[in-house]
Amino acid sequence: MTTLKHSVEAEHHHGPAKGLSRWFYTTNHKDIGSMYLWFSFAMFLTGGCMALMIRAELFQPGLQLIQPDFFNQMTTMHGLIMVFGAVMPAFVGLANWMIPMMIGAPDMALPRMNNWSFWILPFAFAMMLSTLFMAGGAPNFGWTFYAPLSTTYAPPSVTFFIFAVHMMGISSIMGAINIIATILNLRAPGMTMMKLPLFVWTWLITAFLLIAVMPVLAGVVTMMLMDIHFGTSFFNAAGGGDPVLFQHVFWFFGHPEVYIMILPAFGIVSEIIPTFARKRLFGYASMVYATASIAFLSFIVWAHHMFTVGMPLVGEVFFMFSTMLIAVPTGVKVFNWVATMFRGSMTFETPMLFALAFVVLFTIGGFSGLMLAIAPADFQYHDTYFVVAHFHYVLVPGAVFSIMAGAYYWLPKWTGNMYSEALGKWHFWLSFVGVNITFFPMHFIGLAGMPRRIPDYALQFADFNAIASVGAFIFGFSQLLFLYIVIRCIRGGDKATDEVWEDPEGLEWTVASPAPYHTFSEPPLVK
Amino acid sequence: MSSEAYYVPSQSRWPILASIALFLLAYGAGSMINGLSSEESGSGGMILLAGAVLMALILIGWFGNVINESMSGLYSEQMDRSFRWGMSWFIFSEVMFFAAFFGTLFYVRTLAVPWLGGEGEKGVSNMLWEGFQAQWPLMTTPDMEQFPGPQQVIDPWHLPLLNTVLLVASSFTVTVAHKALKNNSRNNIVLWLAVTVMLAGAFLFFQAAEYIEAYEELGLTLHAGIYGATFFVLTGFHGLHVTLGTFMLLVIWLRVLRGHFEPENHFGFEAVAWYWHFVDVVWIGLFLFVYIL
């Protein structure tokens, strides 16, 4: 026992190590969280540049800037980078920073493995991005990499894509195991499960989803690898396999994956809205159960991505109704957020603005999801810009806005300084306007029949495409303002109090701002 | 409990080194596999080898670190619980990895192949290869030139049955060794762990013999259509996991020889035992769904 105490104290007196070794060798959850967040932002800009290339080409009908094959590489890489490089690592970064502070833990449960989870990512994405410079070009089969596009007709770089996905999977699984072990085992005395902040709850469930489905993704890319190089016929009907099998296995991973990207967002918004409405969260327990229900349903709805591939009628019907069921727990959540604000003393600081925009715009994305869930109607919408509009509404003003909201909400706790509220509001309004100009017209051109993943289009879609492209550039460049705001906040600004906001709930607001390098060396007592 | 301080390890070089090793492994494997297909000789194999050697050294060093910390009593009960959660969820992730391949097998057997043969609502796909007959095991593939089906499949009641007996027996012997550890009778632990490792080795030997028989006599290969594909991917990944488990058992055996583990405190041993039981359960599933049914 004495040696144990001693080692902690010895560590406690040290601040962070000097120089680069701090980042390479660290076991500190805050360092690792920061690295995840910076990495995520770098990938967000990278994937964003690809999106702008796509939008620039689509500004006018006809081929202006890039060739169709490169266009396909851009849509593929944009999707993969945003999903695996931007959104997921951002949430893991927030989890690393906040979960130990929120549950009164000293750090993550397995700190060295934590650092490994992070450092795999830069290597994985270096390999993924290097495919752009390989003979035959980068993967060009869409982020969903359907066989046989990704097997029989794939460029040789697909092999590196497969191994990059394996590396990301290893990173995600280790990160998720770490988060689960931390939440289940490192809570301070008195922090019972039903007292956990919702961000922690949503991450617990997200981590479970990650551990359940990332291995399935590993399985499906392994089967691709075998089909391409070792003569198997999993996805080739000539040998008795089935290309549709690919879609089933992929979406068994893919649908829980989209909830992996939204459940932590629910958690963040559920932290922010009560603070700025100055009321307790309405319906805490129902929020927990709704999250768990959404996670459960995510495993039995996957084939709604495949209504048009030719499934037996009973399959279409089952997946249609199970998908519509998701609206129930999601509706509970939206209702609770609104009820939390009802008669609250609301103020509209930047985190709250992003959270409010999240509630409204995510709900729009949810409704278009309901439309897509109707199997007979989906035959019209399938693979059109309506689908693009739908998933960008849930991912950009959904997941990405929640990450921005979380970043503004916790920045003062991380840096000890307040960010510039005026610039924050500018960032919000530019993003809000940009995002809607970009994605709202896509609903219309989608319903009118414009297919997705096409570099050229018929003339009647020209106006809305031009508008969407303008919006994309507004949104894209306003993210540089975010970068400036964050750097300015790190370098100085008004000193933040420990509470930062007016009477917020949660252990993270009981520690100093900036949070000390080691938050709790002894567990705090939770009443 | 409430006044107990936490243990947070100090800085470590292993994670970043392990990331580099993993990158070399992945990049080397990718280059080598692409080289095989295009029949160019490249440096892929060397990179892969370098990555493997580096990873092996890192694993030895990193686990060595953890073992030393554990032996010098740095770990609290809480740390022990973290390891337990970690291992349990890792095994769950492995379960899901195999679930993907079992799911593939069930989908192909009950849906895809019968549809190709003209059954059911999607029977129109029979138009692709008219006259194709659905059967399982699939001996005659739709396109016999591209994917020549197997002449025969493995008889479950010879080598696979023997392997089932070996693996189930090894699950028992590792439990006997665990009991011996709890009673602190060191000689028995060493003995029963050695028996477990030998059973595992015998299993792997017979598995290899079965593969040779499949390739050389039965025409059951990776190219032999969907039956060969599912057969080899399921039994192959299981075999890889048995190999890994055997290494883990060997490490535990060597640690017992060095006097590690106490009757009350031996999570390293238990983790390996859990893993071994998991591998055993997967085999039962394989024996049932791949070989017998």
Side-chain angles (χ1 to χ4, degrees):
Chain A
M1 204 65 240
T2 44
T3 47
L4 207 153
K5 270 228 160 97
H6 183 74
S7 73
V8 172
E9 272 157 25
E11 179 72 17
H12 203 71
H13 293 303
H14 296 185
K18 298 272 172 262
L20 275 180
S21 78
R22 167 179 176 185
W23 305 104
F24 288 145
Y25 306 147
T26 187
T27 47
N28 182 288
H29 71 102
K30 299 188 180 85
D31 285 350
I32 296 170
S34 300
M35 288 195 292
Y36 263 113
L37 288 169
W38 279 112
F39 174 78
S40 153
F41 193 72
M43 285 297 116
F44 182 58
L45 292 188
T46 311
C49 289
M50 294 172 175
L52 292 188
M53 242 182 278
I54 294 168
R55 280 320 320 170
E57 175 56 48
L58 291 174
F59 183 72
Q60 284 178 12
L63 292 177
Q64 283 77 233
L65 302 168
I66 52 179
Q67 291 307 302
D69 185 53
F70 188 69
F71 183 90
N72 288 342
Q73 295 176 31
M74 285 295 100
T75 56
T76 307
M77 297 300 268
H78 163 74
L80 290 167
I81 285 172
M82 287 305 199
V83 168
F84 295 104
V87 174
M88 288 169 70
F91 282 131
V92 182
L94 292 173
N96 259 296
W97 252 101
M98 300 318 298
I99 287 176
M101 288 212 276
M102 288 176 150
I103 64 173
D107 205 293
M108 299 293 280
L110 304 157
R112 280 173 291 215
M113 196 172 85
N114 198 14
N115 197 30
W116 196 19
S117 308
F118 169 74
W119 275 107
I120 288 173
L121 285 181
F123 289 99
F125 280 90
M127 194 153 91
M128 179 96 104
L129 286 169
S130 74
T131 58
L132 281 165
F133 307 101
M134 288 180 184
N140 55 3
F141 31 69
W143 88 273
T144 51
F145 48 100
Y146 279 8
L149 283 178
S150 62
T151 52
T152 314
Y153 305 104
S157 63
V158 66
T159 314
F160 294 97
F161 155 81
I162 289 171
F163 282 105
V165 169
H166 273 307
M167 290 173 77
M168 292 166 206
I170 292 169
S171 159
S172 289
I173 291 170
M174 288 197 298
I177 288 176
N178 214 339
I179 287 168
I180 290 203
T182 306
I183 298 172
L184 293 181
N185 194 29
L186 262 60
R187 277 169 290 129
M191 179 63 85
T192 56
M193 291 305 275
M194 289 313 271
K195 279 188 196 162
L196 285 179
L198 259 171
F199 179 65
V200 181
W201 251 118
T202 51
W203 243 116
L204 178 68
I205 292 166
T206 303
F208 166 74
L209 291 180
L210 276 167
I211 301 174
V213 300
M214 291 311 280
V216 177
L217 175 68
V220 76
V221 293
T222 304
M223 287 190 272
M224 273 170 59
L225 184 77
M226 305 276 291
D227 267 14
I228 297 168
H229 293 293
F230 301 110
T232 55
S233 53
F234 288 108
F235 309 131
N236 188 340
D242 189 350
V244 177
L245 168 66
F246 173 90
Q247 299 183 24
H248 279 295
V249 187
F250 175 82
W251 284 114
F252 185 82
F253 147 79
H255 202 78
E257 166 69 22
V258 303
Y259 292 149
I260 286 163
M261 292 188 285
I262 206 65
L263 292 185
F266 291 166
I268 294 168
V269 169
S270 305
E271 299 294 329
I272 291 174
I273 288 180
T275 298
F276 296 99
R278 289 165 184 76
K279 273 177 67 192
R280 292 184 66 120
L281 182 71
F282 184 88
Y284 171 89
S286 67
M287 285 299 220
V288 173
Y289 298 133
T291 312
S293 312
I294 293 172
F296 166 74
L297 287 172
S298 75
F299 286 103
I300 55 165
V301 297
W302 77 88
H304 64 215
H305 297 268
M306 308 160 48
F307 280 144
T308 60
V309 296
M311 256 190 300
L313 185 65
V314 60
E316 306 260 330
V317 171
F318 172 81
F319 286 108
M320 174 169 85
F321 284 120
S322 60
T323 303
M324 289 179 171
L325 272 182
I326 298 170
V328 178
T330 314
V332 168
K333 284 188 161 290
V334 174
F335 178 85
N336 284 351
W337 289 321
V338 175
T340 304
M341 289 184 272
F342 181 65
R343 292 190 157 178
S345 310
M346 307 256 286
T347 51
F348 299 93
E349 286 86 345
T350 311
M352 183 61 162
L353 288 174
F354 274 104
L356 285 174
F358 171 93
V359 174
V360 175
L361 300 182
F362 175 80
T363 305
I364 293 179
F367 280 135
S368 58
L370 263 179
M371 290 171 68
L372 287 162
I374 303 167
D378 181 69
F379 278 70
Q380 168 72 13
Y381 313 144
H382 190 89
D383 260 348
T384 68
Y385 259 84
F386 190 77
V387 177
V388 178
H390 158 69
F391 67 72
H392 280 95
Y393 257 87
V394 291
L395 278 174
V396 187
V400 172
F401 269 27
S402 81
I403 292 164
M404 306 256 173
Y408 280 111
Y409 186 52
W410 288 307
L411 253 181
K413 179 55 65 185
W414 299 339
T415 63
N417 306 318
M418 293 305 286
Y419 60 88
S420 160
E421 190 62 55
L423 287 179
K425 287 207 165 78
W426 267 101
H427 173 225
F428 168 74
W429 285 110
L430 284 171
S431 299
F432 180 82
V433 170
V435 120
N436 282 297
I437 295 177
T438 313
F439 297 115
F440 209 78
M442 291 184 186
H443 290 112
F444 307 134
I445 47 178
L447 289 178
M450 176 164 161
R452 63 193 281 212
R453 292 172 174 160
I454 296 282
D456 188 7
Y457 49 84
L459 288 176
Q460 70 265 32
F461 305 126
D463 291 350
F464 279 134
N465 266 297
I467 293 169
S469 292
V470 170
F473 277 83
I474 295 175
F475 179 77
F477 280 92
S478 39
Q479 303 322 308
L480 296 177
L481 180 60
F482 179 54
L483 179 66
Y484 172 72
I485 294 168
V486 171
I487 291 174
R488 214 174 95 141
C489 178
I490 292 171
R491 302 183 64 162
D494 299 342
K495 290 286 159 245
T497 60
D498 291 358
E499 277 205 322
V500 182
W501 313 109
E502 197 182 341
D503 210 16
E505 263 198 79
L507 282 177
E508 76 262 41
W509 310 109
T510 64
V511 302
S513 297
Y517 196 58
H518 295 281
T519 323
F520 302 104
S521 58
E522 297 205 2
L525 231 118
V526 181
K527 287 172 279 120
Chain B
M1 170 67 212
S2 62
S3 66
E4 190 173 312
Y6 290 116
Y7 175 70
V8 179
S10 52
Q11 287 202 327
S12 168
R13 285 165 198 238
W14 300 120
I16 182 96
L17 289 174
S19 305
I20 294 170
L22 190 64
F23 174 73
L24 293 177
L25 275 173
Y27 188 80
S31 311
M32 192 183 75
I33 291 172
N34 268 7
L36 290 178
S37 290
S38 62
E39 281 162 13
E40 289 166 17
S41 60
S43 51
M46 293 309 291
I47 298 172
L48 178 65
L49 190 68
V53 171
L54 186 59
M55 188 59 104
L57 292 174
I58 288 163
L59 287 178
I60 292 167
W62 193 339
F63 276 106
N65 248 10
V66 174
I67 290 166
N68 284 337
E69 285 166 8
S70 167
M71 299 293 286
S72 51
L74 283 173
Y75 290 160
S76 57
E77 267 179 50
Q78 188 170 43
M79 210 47 220
D80 190 65
R81 280 199 305 274
S82 284
F83 286 141
R84 279 166 199 276
W85 279 124
M87 190 67 194
S88 316
W89 287 106
F90 170 64
I91 290 177
F92 175 62
S93 79
E94 293 273 40
V95 169
M96 293 307 293
F97 183 68
F98 278 98
F101 297 122
F102 274 107
T104 296
L105 174 69
F106 298 148
Y107 179 83
V108 168
R109 278 186 66 164
T110 54
L111 297 173
V113 170
W115 284 339
L116 266 181
E119 269 178 47
E121 284 178 85
K122 281 186 70 190
V124 288
S125 54
N126 189 240
M127 287 191 308
L128 289 168
W129 285 278
E130 261 177 69
F132 167 74
Q133 300 276 327
Q135 55 182 165
W136 195 267
L138 185 64
M139 311 301 276
T140 311
T141 62
D143 184 345
M144 282 298 277
E145 271 177 34
Q146 207 185 344
F147 297 104
Q151 285 99 53
Q152 250 183 297
V153 296
I154 304 278
D155 176 7
W157 305 112
H158 288 101
L159 282 183
L161 178 66
L162 176 63
N163 266 349
T164 310
V165 174
L166 289 174
L167 217 51
V168 172
S170 76
S171 246
F172 275 104
T173 55
V174 83
T175 308
V176 175
H178 190 199
K179 284 263 159 29
L181 175 53
K182 281 182 174 163
N183 297 329
N184 211 12
S185 55
R186 315 284 308 180
N187 291 338
N188 277 338
I189 319 172
V190 173
L191 171 71
W192 287 107
L193 270 182
V195 173
T196 310
V197 172
M198 280 189 283
L199 289 169
F203 173 91
L204 286 172
F205 173 80
F206 289 123
Q207 188 75 15
E210 184 183 297
Y211 277 11
I212 293 169
E213 186 197 349
Y215 256 79
E216 296 193 339
E217 288 164 33
L218 308 181
L220 177 58
T221 67
L222 282 170
H223 305 263
I226 192 64
Y227 184 84
T230 52
F231 174 82
F232 280 106
V233 84
L234 274 160
T235 57
F237 273 113
H238 177 262
L240 282 178
H241 282 75
V242 174
T243 312
L244 180 64
T246 309
F247 275 110
M248 287 158 71
L249 284 168
L250 262 177
V251 171
I252 292 300
W253 189 64
L254 291 174
R255 285 187 65 190
V256 172
L257 285 181
R258 286 203 181 179
H260 292 198
F261 302 124
E262 293 152 28
E264 299 305 318
N265 185 11
H266 51 260
F267 179 65
F269 185 104
E270 284 177 285
V272 172
W274 289 355
Y275 194 78
W276 196 249
H277 292 312
F278 153 72
V279 166
D280 198 20
V281 170
V282 173
W283 175 260
I284 303 291
L286 286 181
F287 187 53
L288 211 60
F289 293 113
V290 176
Y291 290 99
I292 298 182
L293 295 176

